[in-house]
Amino acid sequence: MQQALEAADAVRGWTSPNPWVGCVIESPAGEVFTGATEPPGGRHAERVALDAAGDAARGATVWVTLEPCAHTGRTGPCADALVEAGVARVVVAVEDPDVRVAGGGIARLRAAGIDVELGTLADAVRAQLAAYLKHRSTGRPWVVLKVGASIDGRTAAPDGTSQWITGGAARADAHQLRAESDAIVVGAGTVRADDPSLTVRNVEGKDPIRVVLGTAPVGAKVLPALEFSGELGDLLDELGGRGVLQVLVEGGATVAGAFHRAGLVDHYVVYLAPVIFGGDDARPLFAGNGAETIADVWRGAITAVTPLGGDVRIDLSPVGPSPVTGPVSVVRIGDVPPVSDPASGGA
């Protein structure tokens, strides 16, 4: 299953709106064949591995990170393909919450007399497929908030300048986040102040859908973009309906604060640079009112700390109700002041 996880990780960013799945087949003779989901329209992981295995799949054991599909889309059901190949055993990490599957694939395998085991490395796969699992469970995308800041928690100088706080390694890592996301959100103030292109550079990957909260000026590099004014929850509903599995919020302090206070962020990525502004007049991570007392502060869990050149990436996740099932707050966002919300890190 670990090999299947690694195979899935290698195609992250290329398969959406389909899940990034890995599959490993071990033949009775001990031969190993690996597959991963291809870009939309291509083969699912199970079919890639089955095609590689050929006749060696008969009587084999299959490890797959997500329940084999049981419906016909651009390809036929993977559960049927496994049955036809004559595999003897299938080890599945997690069930697929998609209503077209939802246990149907496992049921089809068992009905054909195939031994099915569920739950191997389930936590690791749930983390890897968090965006897909949330989208299929709620209809909304997984929301990642990314900020770049000085060691004293500031994102821009008092005059609004912010390029570049972090170094090249951190910026390349942030572009990898873009490549893994289907949409990227900024405020109109960021667009006017920094004129970012919000494309994927320094790494391989597709450019995300660009979303501007408010109206982008004519000729802005971010165009063409989806311009949106309204409730953030409505935006997530619209993007989810478009098949967006993961949204990267790269706006400045106003947009970051709005998503944070609304409880809409599923994962935080903070890049800290060895830079000190040394005062309280520089721009903060979040604009707006924060917690009034220590009892009300947001508390999360640090899930990873990664050195990136001279900078550090800190990953945080909320603690408490699952972001998939927990309550959702509503915040309304429109146009923001021209230079009040510079993007942290820019570009």
Side-chain angles (χ1 to χ4, degrees):
M1 190 63 77
Q2 183 60 45
Q3 293 178 49
L5 269 161
E6 292 168 2
D9 194 57
V11 297
R12 177 74 170 93
W14 296 102
T15 69
S16 184
N18 296 326
W20 35 103
V21 177
C23 178
V24 173
I25 296 176
E26 183 179 9
S27 74
E31 301 167 286
V32 175
F33 307 91
T34 302
T37 308
E38 294 179 335
R43 298 169 295 172
H44 291 184
E46 298 93 327
R47 290 183 177 272
V48 175
L50 286 171
D51 288 348
D55 292 340
R58 187 159 300 277
T61 295
V62 179
W63 285 267
V64 62
T65 55
L66 186 68
E67 175 184 7
C69 63
H71 64 284
T72 299
R74 290 171 173 166
T75 61
C78 290
D80 289 354
L82 291 169
V83 171
E84 293 166 5
V87 305
R89 177 170 169 252
V90 178
V91 182
V92 179
V94 298
E95 288 190 17
D96 190 340
D98 190 308
V99 294
R100 297 169 296 178
V101 187
I106 291 174
R108 193 168 298 185
L109 294 173
R110 286 176 171 160
I114 296 173
D115 179 30
V116 179
E117 296 181 22
L118 179 65
T120 301
L121 294 187
D123 288 345
V125 172
R126 287 192 189 99
Q128 185 182 65
L129 285 174
Y132 172 80
L133 296 175
K134 180 189 177 184
H135 180 268
R136 291 302 193 270
S137 299
T138 70
R140 285 185 173 184
W142 184 258
V143 179
V144 177
L145 174 60
K146 167 256 175 182
V147 292
S150 65
I151 203 70
D152 54 346
R154 300 291 166 168
T155 61
D159 65 357
T161 55
S162 62
Q163 299 175 325
W164 299 95
I165 292 177
T166 56
R171 294 199 297 273
D173 190 76
H175 277 253
Q176 183 61 43
L177 276 178
R178 288 182 183 177
E180 294 174 356
S181 301
D182 304 303
I184 183 169
V185 176
V186 297
T190 290
V191 175
R192 287 191 290 266
D194 291 348
D195 195 20
S197 60
L198 303 181
T199 55
V200 173
R201 303 185 299 280
N202 306 317
V203 299
E204 292 186 3
K206 302 177 295 183
D207 291 336
I209 298 170
R210 294 172 288 191
V211 181
V212 177
L213 300 178
T215 303
V218 176
K221 294 177 183 176
V222 75
L223 296 173
L226 170 64
E227 296 172 308
F228 182 87
S229 293
E231 295 178 354
L232 294 182
D234 290 343
L235 172 63
L236 296 182
D237 289 336
E238 179 173 344
L239 293 177
R242 294 181 178 218
V244 170
L245 303 186
Q246 179 167 303
V247 171
L248 180 62
V249 178
E250 272 203 29
T254 299
V255 172
F259 272 91
H260 172 74
R261 283 188 294 275
L264 296 175
V265 181
D266 297 302
H267 191 76
Y268 297 76
V269 177
V270 181
Y271 296 97
L272 287 181
V275 173
I276 297 175
F277 283 96
D280 60 7
D281 53 346
R283 305 296 173 85
L285 286 173
F286 303 117
N289 295 327
E292 293 186 2
T293 70
I294 191 65
D296 296 331
V297 299
W298 181 94
R299 294 186 185 274
I302 295 176
T303 57
V305 178
T306 309
L308 294 168
D311 306 316
V312 174
R313 168 176 164 165
I314 300 176
D315 286 68
L316 303 97
S317 291
V319 173
S322 165
V324 172
T325 59
V328 175
S329 299
V330 172
V331 144
R332 190 168 190 85
I333 276 286
D335 221 350
V336 292
V339 294
S340 67
D341 195 24
S344 57

